[in-house]
Amino acid sequence: MMTIESPDTPSARSGAYPPARTRRISGRKAWPAAVAAAFVAAQLVLVRPGIGLGWDETVYVSQFSGHAPAAYFSAPRARGVSLLVAPIASWSSSTPLLRVYLSLLSGLALYLALRSWRGLLPTRVVALGGALFASLWVTLFYGPEAMPNYWVATGGLAAVGCFLRAQADRTLRGPVWGLAASAALMAWMRPTDAVWVTLPLMAALVVVRRWRHKWLLVALVAGLVAGAAEWVIEAYVSYGGLGSRLSDASRIQGELRWNNAIDDQLRSLSGRTLCRPCTGGMPHPVVFAWWFAVPVLALAGLPAAVRARRASLTVLALACAATAAVPYLLFIGYAAPRFLLPAYALLAIPVADTLVLLVSRAHGVRRPLTVTVLVVGLAAHLAVQGAVLWRLVDRTTASRQGWARTADALHRHGVRPPCVLTGNNGEAPHIPIAFYAGCASAQTGGADTNTTASALARAARRTPVAVLTTHGSRPPAYARTWRLVHLDGQVYAYLSPVARDAEAAAPGAGRQSPTTLPQGARTGVR
């Protein structure tokens, strides 16, 4: 049977943590709750509820929103996020309300994930681990976003904690149910990520004889199956089978094969939410120094964990973090910082363990020196994370406000619901703009193909249709006689005759100033 000592057991007290400090743990049980509350407050203050919905968010939210028709749901996506936001999106189009709701839920998820580690480590270690994870700019930014990666991260952290608690005391049933729920949450959000995160847990249950636990194995498998069931069923209903959906998902993500994306991840740490293609120079080393420090600190605590007879805890957390990171570091040709959130969450606990041990084992003049160095280092780390987050929020807010302005311009030109937007996403992001405008989004090629050119041409005879583009781009054949208008910034649109008629019939249309195109812009006539 696996042995994981509680911080209050005699053998644990003879290990790394001094008895005097261990006895104070009972007074610190509220620390994880305080960390979760601070995380929620930081999201509301720093990320701001008013920030608009992002590209992927509009796809997830549109599945239940009455604001716009559901966007095409491509093969890699899972319905977990859509179901998560449904209690708000199904009756309200308020983005601030959705942000507050997700902030509160993300804080609750963090608290429950930290609580699953109760009794495995001193409370101060668990709370510090939660604070380290919650203070990353990528965690703060994606906590209130309608995206799946944060939920996989908290689910993975909770799964490992429940697994270890169930191994430490096999009479407990709560951790077994917790493991099932955590696995289901991960698979509900991203089935493939759930498999990667839980791979070491599955291997431990099957391969290591003293770790074999029938009910844990049943709980883990049942959780994964329950969470992924909808995704698998949908694969056969809408994507031609499970193999076909996996193949399509790989193709959409640029074909999953051996590819070293470590340098791409480093470039993305400057605040690039999607680095595809990931070109440009590396950010200043101060921006990504923490990225190299985290695995070093996590591994540095392993010798002390061995002496304290809890090496299994550290090794398993490190193993799950490693497998969670593998596909995004070695098998994908682009980067997004959110991909590694599960790895960051799992590494945070061993890192916190190492930092607390450094302070606990320092004596005499070494203690104030150690504390000073750690405080200064953590303060610098928080300053860097805050600076990156601040710039990212400003940049993202401006970008999404631009989409809202484009949607307003479309409305002024007669493109109002029910309506259809199409175009080349590489030029003008018609999918999120369609959601902002309340229109359906359509695409005749690429990863989000959901219609044909002939179908769009037929729809344009009875519905306002706009082809979003940039200045100088050639329109599709069916739109070459349509009117070209300037919407906002670099975004232009070819408007179907129905949209033109709707614009002319709109109240006050005659008072609108004519659209001014730059010299040499094409009129759409061929």
Side-chain angles (χ1 to χ4, degrees), residues 41 61 107 127-128 132 135 154 256 354 411 442 485 488 496 511:
V61 172
L128 178 59
L132 291 174
S135 65
T154 50
L256 300 183
T354 300
H411 291 165
V485 298
D488 182 72
S496 69
R511 295 190 297 272

Side-chain angles (χ1 to χ4, degrees), residues 83-434:
L83 293 168
L84 185 73
V85 302
I88 300 297
S90 60
W91 62 272
S92 174
S93 60
S94 171
T95 301
L97 178 62
L98 182 63
R99 295 287 184 222
V100 172
Y101 164 76
L102 288 173
S103 295
L104 293 172
L105 273 189
S106 64
L108 176 61
L110 179 62
Y111 170 71
L112 293 176
L114 296 177
R115 185 179 171 83
S116 70
W117 287 75
R118 182 180 55 182
L120 297 172
L121 286 167
T123 307
R124 64 183 183 274
V125 173
V126 176
L128 178 59
L132 291 174
F133 172 62
S135 65
L136 295 176
W137 72 259
V138 63
T139 310
L140 284 165
F141 185 77
Y142 283 104
E145 293 261 312
M147 296 291 280
N149 310 86
Y150 173 82
W151 305 98
V152 176
T154 50
L157 184 61
V160 175
C162 290
F163 179 94
L164 291 168
R165 285 185 63 203
Q167 289 284 8
D169 186 349
R170 299 200 173 192
T171 64
L172 297 176
R173 288 292 172 261
V176 177
W177 287 105
L179 176 62
S182 301
L185 174 64
M186 289 188 286
W188 193 39
M189 293 294 170
R190 287 188 72 90
T192 51
D193 282 12
V195 172
W196 281 103
V197 172
T198 59
L199 205 56
L201 304 183
M202 193 73 70
L205 289 169
V206 173
V207 176
V208 184
R209 184 173 181 179
R210 66 189 181 92
W211 286 8
R212 290 175 184 169
H213 188 311
K214 179 180 67 174
W215 293 114
L216 269 186
L217 182 60
V218 170
L220 180 56
V221 173
L224 292 175
V225 170
E230 187 279 331
W231 196 84
V232 174
I233 292 171
E234 188 181 38
Y236 288 97
V237 172
S238 304
Y239 297 92
L242 182 58
S244 177
R245 184 169 196 176
L246 290 171
S247 176
D248 288 348
S250 174
R251 176 180 52 80
I252 289 170
Q253 295 176 89
E255 301 295 346
L256 300 183
R257 59 182 181 274
W258 180 260
N259 184 84
N260 183 356
I262 294 175
D263 57 337
D264 292 344
Q265 286 290 346
L266 291 176
R267 288 187 179 91
S268 71
L269 291 176
S270 62
R272 300 172 66 176
T273 55
L274 181 63
C275 203
R276 185 182 190 183
C278 207
T279 56
M282 287 285 181
H284 193 282
V286 73
V287 173
F288 58 75
W290 68 271
W291 202 77
F292 290 101
V294 163
V296 172
L297 288 170
L299 288 169
L302 191 54
V306 172
R307 289 193 296 271
R309 297 178 60 190
R310 48 182 177 75
S312 300
L313 183 153
T314 303
V315 168
L316 202 59
L318 292 175
C320 290
T323 56
V326 161
Y328 296 114
L329 292 179
L330 302 178
F331 296 132
I332 196 167
Y334 62 98
R338 60 186 172 88
F339 291 161
L340 296 181
L341 275 171
Y344 299 152
L346 289 161
L347 287 171
I349 298 296
V351 169
D353 194 17
T354 300
L355 295 180
V356 172
L357 285 174
L358 286 174
V359 175
S360 299
R361 300 179 66 179
H363 301 287
V365 295
R366 290 173 51 200
R367 172 159 293 187
L369 179 61
T370 301
V371 171
T372 300
V373 170
L374 290 180
V375 168
V376 170
L378 290 173
H381 168 72
L382 291 176
V384 170
Q385 299 300 310
V388 173
L389 180 65
W390 189 270
R391 290 195 298 269
L392 172 61
V393 170
D394 281 349
R395 191 168 64 246
T396 302
T397 301
S399 173
R400 296 175 185 179
Q401 287 174 345
W403 294 344
R405 287 193 302 271
T406 301
D408 289 341
L410 284 166
H411 291 165
R412 291 194 300 272
H413 285 292
V415 183
R416 292 182 290 271
C419 48
V420 180
L421 298 191
T422 185
N424 182 351
N425 276 319
E427 295 180 349
H430 72 273
I431 291 177
I433 293 173

